[in-house]
């Protein structure tokens, strides 16, 4: 099989790449190991905890025992299905803060500052405010990716925003617009009650042109001829060939793995596993970053939470209502309020994120034993801790080793303690008085630094935002894997375009920035660029002296 471009991975960035390359008249083969995304468990937003925990849709990765979390092994789900992780994620849509992208540019990713990426965020979005405010001048209105807001009918959503205001924080009508900092409505990649994954937004219309074909199989290595990537070998020996270029968009876990299996990576590590070194790139698999979060859970004094549906009849009602009308709790991810705040004076833009949920539940769908409750997912945005993805063996069928090295920086512990204490203060505000009963997790008795640290070690969870393992930087940077055109340094005809190229993790959930990378990388491949802009974000006037 042969096409102009071969893309490895039908995920968030890969689908966007396929769409834009096909739109420009090229032919594309997309290699995807996973199967179809059809069926209610993926398409129903309220069922989000199911596909993430199903071997059919998830690669089933786990971290190595994490040394700073008492040896805990943390789940690292990645989508193994059309749409990739956009088909199993929480559907939360966050662009990231303007300063995140300006930092990328400062780190050597020239042309990736906020003024450069904002036009791509606008191009990809079809934004719907649903009557809940917003910042239309900063948003896109005719892109493939529908971005919407929930109905926010549950009184707890407004209580969370009101409590933030009462605690002295800013509010914001649109954290994806000029002003990220503050409390306000959360956005989701949901359209007409359905998960609007990268497969729905980009891959389906690309395939409809007949110029994009999906090849199902496990990519084992990139094939080279005279130093140039010419295709990809699949398990079983089949080779799919690229006339122009090969683009790896296989996730921050599988992209570095595929590079290393193809001889691109730290030379000594590859040699150790019997792999011939094609390009000795020390940065491949390094710089692994993630967001950790903790669920601060409160028992509710009124039966206003989603727990009312947490039984057989309730779930049947939610499912039937969604099936026939695409409305109700099944038609939303139920993360409909959020906040971005700063942890302390001297921090110039938010470094803490909140997802608010009117239910006390774990990500695997297990409800708290207390019954009715609500929770805030909270965690620091810019940990200094770094981990790595490395090979377990030279066998492409083996899963890689993933060590995040969570909480290895002392500042992480201080930041998490701050997160818990600030959250308790927010939940103590008058807005929650009609709904507040008592704290479930970590529990009101947990107060001292040592007690909080023990709770953090036991309860902290990944927010499932791994990135950074094929870092983008200047071509002369020995730690960089790709240059600012997404070209793999040291070989020809090969690019990487997904969350693995992030030099530094962005604020919030990573699906939006990952799709943006696919959009922008397509233009680099096509030799064109959207005009930049000089839009400046809102920054708190008193950030040097005030936390809020």
């Amino acid at each position: 099989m042969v096409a102009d471009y071969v893309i490895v991975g039908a995920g968030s960035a890969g689908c966007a790449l396929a769409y834009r390359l096909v739109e420009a008249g090229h032919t594309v083969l997309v290699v995807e190991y996973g199967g179809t995304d059809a069926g209610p468990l993926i398409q129903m937003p309220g069922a989000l905890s199911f596909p993430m925990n199903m071997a059919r849709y998830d690669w089933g990765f786990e971290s190595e025992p994490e040394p700073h979390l008492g040896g805990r092994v943390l789940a690292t789900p990645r989508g193994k299905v059309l749409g990739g992780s956009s088909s199993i994620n929480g559907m939360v849509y966050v662009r990231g803060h303007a300063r995140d992208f300006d930092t990328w540019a400062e780190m050597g990713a020239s042309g990736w500052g906020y003024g450069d990426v904002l036009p791509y965020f606008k191009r990809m979005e079809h934004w719907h405010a649903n009557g809940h405010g917003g910042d239309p001048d900063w948003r896109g209105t005719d892109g493939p990716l529908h971005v919407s807001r929930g109905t926010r009918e549950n009184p707890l959503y407004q209580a969370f925003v009101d409590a933030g205001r009462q605690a002295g924080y800013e509010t914001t009508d649109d954290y994806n617009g000029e002003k990220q900092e503050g409390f306000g409505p959360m956005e989701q990649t949901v359209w007409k009650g359905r998960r609007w994954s990268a497969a729905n937004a980009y891959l389906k219309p690309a395939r409809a042109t007949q110029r994009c074909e999906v090849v199902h199989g496990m990519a084992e290595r990139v094939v080279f001829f005279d130093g140039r990537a010419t295709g990809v070998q699949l398990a079983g020996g089949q080779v799919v060939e690229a006339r122009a270029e090969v683009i790896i968009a296989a996730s921050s876990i599988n992209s570095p793995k595929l590079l290393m299996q193809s001889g691109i990576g730290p030379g000594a590590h590859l040699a150790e596993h019997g792999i011939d070194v094609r390009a000795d790139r020390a940065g491949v698999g390094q710089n692994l970053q993630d967001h950790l979060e903790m669920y601060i859970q409160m028992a509710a004094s009124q039966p206003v939470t989603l727990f009312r549906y947490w039984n057989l009849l309730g779930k049947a009602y939610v499912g039937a209502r969604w099936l026939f009308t695409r409305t109700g709790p099944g038609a939303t991810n139920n993360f409909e309020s959020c906040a971005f705040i700063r942890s302390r004076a001297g921090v110039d833009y938010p470094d803490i994120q909140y997802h608010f949920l009117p239910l006390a539940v774990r990500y695997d769908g297990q409800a708290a034993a207390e019954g009715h409750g609500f929770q805030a997912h909270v965690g620091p945005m810019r940990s200094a801790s770094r981990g790595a993805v490395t090979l377990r063996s030279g066998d492409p069928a083996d899963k890689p080793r993933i060590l995040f090295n969570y909480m290895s920086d002392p500042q992480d512990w201080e930041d998490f303690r701050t997160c818990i204490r600030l959250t308790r203060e927010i939940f103590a505000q008058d807005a929650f008085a009609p709904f507040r009963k008592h704290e479930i997790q970590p529990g009101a008795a947990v107060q001292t630094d040592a007690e909080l640290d023990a709770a953090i070690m036991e309860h902290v969870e990944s927010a499932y935002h791994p990135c950074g393992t094929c870092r983008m930087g200047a071509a002369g940077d020995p730690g960089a894997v790709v240059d600012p055109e997404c070209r793999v340094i040291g070989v020809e005809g090969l690019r990487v375009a997904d969350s693995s190229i992030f030099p530094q993790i962005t604020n919030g959930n990573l699906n939006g920035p990952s799709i943006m990378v696919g959009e922008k990388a397509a233009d680099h491949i096509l030799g064109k660029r959207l005009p930049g802009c000089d839009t400046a974000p809102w920054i708190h006037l008193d950030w040097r002296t005030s936390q809020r």
Side-chain angles (χ1 to χ4, degrees):
M1 301 181 77
V2 63
D4 296 334
Y5 294 93
V6 171
I7 299 169
V8 182
S12 302
C15 291
L17 274 160
Y19 178 93
R20 294 301 178 189
L21 294 175
V22 163
E23 181 184 56
H26 295 288
T27 56
V28 175
L29 290 172
V30 181
V31 177
E32 173 56 49
Y33 184 56
T36 177
D37 62 334
L41 288 182
I42 279 183
Q43 299 301 328
M44 182 168 85
L48 63 91
S49 66
F50 290 99
M52 191 181 290
N53 291 286
M54 293 174 67
R56 176 179 174 184
Y57 301 128
D58 171 32
W59 281 90
F61 296 132
E62 291 181 327
S63 77
E64 296 294 295
E66 288 288 340
H68 304 279
L69 291 178
R72 286 174 61 201
V73 171
L74 272 66
T76 310
R78 291 292 87 192
K80 186 183 67 177
V81 57
L82 294 180
S85 294
S86 76
S87 288
I88 69 167
N89 69 355
M91 291 156 283
V92 173
Y93 181 75
V94 183
R95 286 174 168 179
H97 195 280
R99 289 282 170 92
D100 292 326
F101 301 103
D102 291 339
T103 301
W104 285 13
E106 290 163 10
M107 293 174 75
S110 56
W112 290 80
Y114 189 60
D116 304 302
V117 303
L118 180 57
Y120 289 94
F121 280 118
K122 287 184 173 181
R123 183 173 83 175
M124 73 195 224
E125 287 178 354
H126 192 142
W127 177 68
H128 309 268
N130 294 1
H132 293 296
D135 214 343
D137 291 346
W138 291 63
R139 309 306 298 270
T141 54
D142 56 3
L145 187 74
H146 288 286
V147 177
S148 64
R149 299 178 175 194
T151 59
R152 308 189 76 229
E153 290 170 13
N154 192 301
L156 290 166
Y157 291 127
Q158 191 57 47
F160 184 69
V161 176
D162 291 344
R165 186 192 299 112
Q166 289 168 358
Y169 292 102
E170 296 286 327
T171 58
T172 177
D173 257 355
D174 189 354
Y175 63 83
N176 282 316
E178 180 183 14
K179 181 183 182 182
Q180 185 186 79
E181 185 168 337
F183 285 67
M186 193 160 231
E187 298 194 330
Q188 50 190 270
T189 48
V190 172
W191 176 236
K192 293 184 175 176
R194 184 179 173 203
R195 177 192 288 272
W196 205 248
S197 65
N200 285 331
Y202 290 98
L203 189 62
K204 284 182 179 151
R207 295 177 84 177
T209 67
Q210 307 298 311
R211 291 195 299 276
C212 173
E213 192 175 338
V214 174
V215 182
H216 287 284
M218 165 81 82
E220 288 194 336
R221 65 183 182 90
V222 178
V223 176
F224 290 87
F225 181 76
D226 277 352
R228 183 175 185 85
T230 57
V232 176
Q233 180 180 306
L234 309 185
Q238 181 188 6
V239 174
V240 289
E241 296 181 46
R243 295 186 195 95
E245 292 188 24
V246 174
I247 307 134
I248 300 175
S251 84
S252 55
I253 308 301
N254 277 326
S255 289
K257 181 193 171 206
L258 183 57
L259 285 180
M260 288 187 279
Q261 294 287 356
S262 307
I264 301 164
H269 179 60
L270 301 187
E272 183 187 327
H273 294 295
I275 298 170
D276 291 338
V277 180
R278 180 171 295 278
D280 189 349
R281 300 304 304 175
V284 176
Q286 303 300 305
N287 193 47
L288 176 61
Q289 300 163 62
D290 190 17
H291 288 142
L292 273 180
E293 61 185 12
M294 191 160 165
Y295 304 172
I296 310 302
Q297 298 178 325
M298 302 290 292
S301 57
Q302 293 188 45
V304 295
T305 77
L306 294 173
F307 188 74
R308 75 185 87 164
Y309 304 115
W310 226 252
N311 54 66
L312 208 55
L313 272 177
K315 288 179 180 179
Y317 164 76
V318 169
R321 184 175 172 186
W322 179 82
L323 207 56
F324 294 113
T325 70
R326 294 292 193 268
T327 62
T332 169
N333 60 6
N334 295 294
F335 292 113
E336 297 185 11
S337 281
C338 70
F340 290 89
I341 64 171
R342 292 174 298 110
S343 61
R344 58 192 181 275
V347 175
D348 61 342
Y349 71 102
D351 60 342
I352 293 173
Q353 179 188 20
Y354 285 103
H355 301 68
F356 179 78
L357 186 66
L359 180 67
V361 69
R362 297 199 320 233
Y363 237 136
D364 63 4
Q366 297 299 306
E370 307 270 349
H372 279 282
F374 50 90
Q375 68 190 31
H377 300 197
V378 64
M381 290 292 95
R382 294 187 290 282
S383 167
S385 295
R386 296 290 182 269
V389 173
T390 53
L391 296 178
R392 195 173 297 278
S393 76
D395 183 351
D398 271 1
K399 291 178 180 176
R401 291 186 189 276
I402 304 167
L403 181 69
F404 287 96
N405 211 20
Y406 291 125
M407 307 298 289
S408 56
D409 190 279
Q411 186 66 42
D412 294 338
W413 296 92
E414 185 179 327
D415 289 346
F416 255 105
R417 291 192 294 267
T418 298
C419 285
I420 295 168
R421 288 169 172 146
L422 292 176
T423 308
R424 284 172 163 169
E425 183 191 6
I426 291 159
F427 281 155
Q429 299 300 314
D430 289 345
F432 276 112
F435 310 109
R436 183 177 59 234
K437 199 172 171 188
H438 61 265
E439 186 177 300
I440 302 170
Q441 183 175 287
V446 178
Q447 292 293 337
T448 66
D449 284 4
E451 289 165 346
L452 288 172
D453 286 352
I456 291 162
M457 184 179 287
E458 182 181 356
H459 295 298
V460 79
E461 296 288 350
S462 171
Y464 311 136
H465 300 162
C467 65
T469 49
C470 299
R471 177 170 71 78
M472 175 167 47
D477 179 348
V481 177
V482 300
D483 69 12
E485 301 277 325
C486 304
R487 297 174 298 207
V488 176
I489 301 165
V491 297
E492 298 294 320
L494 181 63
R495 301 194 201 224
V496 178
D498 58 20
S499 65
S500 69
I501 74 168
F502 293 12
Q504 180 174 284
I505 198 165
T506 55
N507 266 13
N509 310 63
L510 300 194
N511 187 234
S514 299
I515 293 173
M516 179 277 292
V517 163
E519 285 265 7
K520 192 168 185 293
D523 270 12
H524 287 289
I525 291 164
L526 296 168
K528 60 182 190 178
R529 194 82 59 87
L530 291 178
C533 58
D534 57 2
T535 314
W538 184 95
I539 298 289
H540 199 295
L541 282 173
D542 299 323
W543 67 266
R544 289 179 181 82
T545 55
S546 175
Q547 182 257 333
R548 62 188 90 169

